[in-house]
Amino acid sequence: MLNAERDAVALRFAELLRDLERTQPNDTETALRELTVNAAAALPGAVSASITVATREGEVKSVAATDSVADKIDDIQRRTKQGPCLEAAWEQHTMRIRDVETEHRWPLFCLETQQNTSIRSSLAFQLFRNREAMGALNFYGERVDAFDDDAVELGLILATHTAVAWNLLVRDEQFRSALASRDLIGQAKGILMERFGVDAAGAFGLLRRLSQESNTPLVDLAEQVIDSRTGEDRPA
């Protein structure tokens, strides 16, 4: 791939990131899928792609996929607990399978992929890694050795932009969740202040104590308090 083509792809993805930051989409799943579709379209040889998250407990989840083929391959990795995206997520930054028929590193995964899909080669990049989970961006091709060294280089650029987008989307989702939790706790405090004649600090202290004693997350307890008030307001 020529440098000009590679630069054009990088510029296009940088523009997608700017659009994400400006619009701050509420549907994180749809935004990630659109990014994955664009990444697959930009990488020569790729017919499918996915973003996979794996936990240290061995759980594997496809959070974005271009089609049912990518979902099926992620399911094979989940069932066999083998595969290049898991290796990329946990151990190395980049993993490439040139031919599933001759690949020896993940025999169960390669056998099922060969028997149940048209995919013959793959390329996987680590997106993020923390104490609880790791993620990978995966590309799949229908011909042997679909991804040459130029494709690996371009894939690294696409993975870097996707990782930035992931952080942006997750951070925004966490912020919205925090705001929603704050609102719920505020409503619950108001109910407790009215019900027990205490001030805001006293109401929050009561919520926190009940949360600790019942081993219930504070926001879940706040929802229970709000639900109890709703029940009281219903006509007999």
Side-chain angles (χ1 to χ4, degrees):
M1 174 173 285
L2 298 176
N3 289 337
E5 294 177 288
R6 189 166 58 243
D7 291 345
V9 171
L11 179 60
R12 188 158 68 248
F13 262 70
E15 291 172 348
L16 286 173
L17 287 178
R18 283 196 294 269
D19 289 343
L20 280 175
E21 191 165 13
R22 184 174 63 252
T23 60
Q24 296 182 345
N26 292 324
D27 189 346
T28 299
E29 183 178 345
T30 298
L32 286 173
R33 184 178 181 279
E34 289 177 358
L35 278 171
T36 308
V37 168
N38 278 285
L43 189 69
V47 296
S48 300
S50 68
I51 296 176
T52 304
V53 174
T55 69
R56 291 193 179 277
E57 288 72 32
E59 298 177 357
V60 180
K61 180 181 180 182
S62 177
V63 297
T66 57
D67 52 32
S68 60
V69 174
D71 275 329
K72 182 179 289 187
I73 292 178
D74 281 343
D75 183 60
I76 292 172
Q77 294 187 96
R78 177 166 50 250
R79 288 188 288 100
T80 62
K81 299 188 183 302
Q82 292 183 1
C85 84
L86 300 183
E87 191 80 13
W90 290 105
E91 303 295 339
Q92 302 185 34
H93 287 283
T94 305
M95 295 300 300
R96 175 166 48 173
I97 291 181
R98 296 182 181 274
D99 184 355
V100 294
E101 186 174 358
T102 59
E103 176 61 59
H104 300 296
R105 286 173 291 184
W106 310 285
L108 293 177
F109 165 77
C110 288
L111 179 62
E112 286 208 30
T113 298
Q114 185 179 353
Q115 291 176 340
N116 299 306
T117 76
S118 61
I119 298 303
R120 292 297 174 264
S121 55
S122 69
L123 193 58
F125 300 93
Q126 185 185 101
L127 289 180
F128 70 89
R129 177 176 179 172
N130 56 42
R131 290 180 298 176
E132 299 176 355
M134 298 185 183
L137 173 64
N138 318 293
F139 297 97
Y140 304 109
E142 290 184 332
R143 59 183 174 81
V144 172
D145 214 3
F147 306 109
D148 58 16
D149 291 343
D150 284 341
V152 174
E153 187 175 347
L154 177 59
L156 282 169
I157 295 173
L158 297 173
T160 299
H161 283 83
T162 303
V164 173
W166 172 277
N167 289 331
L168 176 66
L169 289 166
V170 170
R171 182 188 63 192
D172 186 58
E173 188 174 65
Q174 290 172 339
F175 179 68
R176 291 196 305 270
S177 178
L179 287 178
S181 297
R182 186 189 65 180
D183 290 343
L184 287 172
I185 292 170
Q187 291 180 52
K189 281 169 53 180
I191 292 170
L192 293 177
M193 290 168 64
E194 179 183 351
R195 183 176 296 171
F196 298 108
V198 295
D199 60 13
F204 183 75
L206 178 58
L207 274 175
R208 185 171 58 184
R209 186 170 71 252
L210 289 172
S211 172
Q212 293 170 345
E213 291 175 353
S214 63
N215 196 28
T216 303
L218 192 62
V219 66
D220 291 347
L221 189 62
E223 287 183 322
Q224 293 175 21
V225 172
I226 295 168
D227 289 343
S228 71
R229 174 61 177 271
T230 302
E232 290 174 0
D233 292 341
R234 294 194 188 108

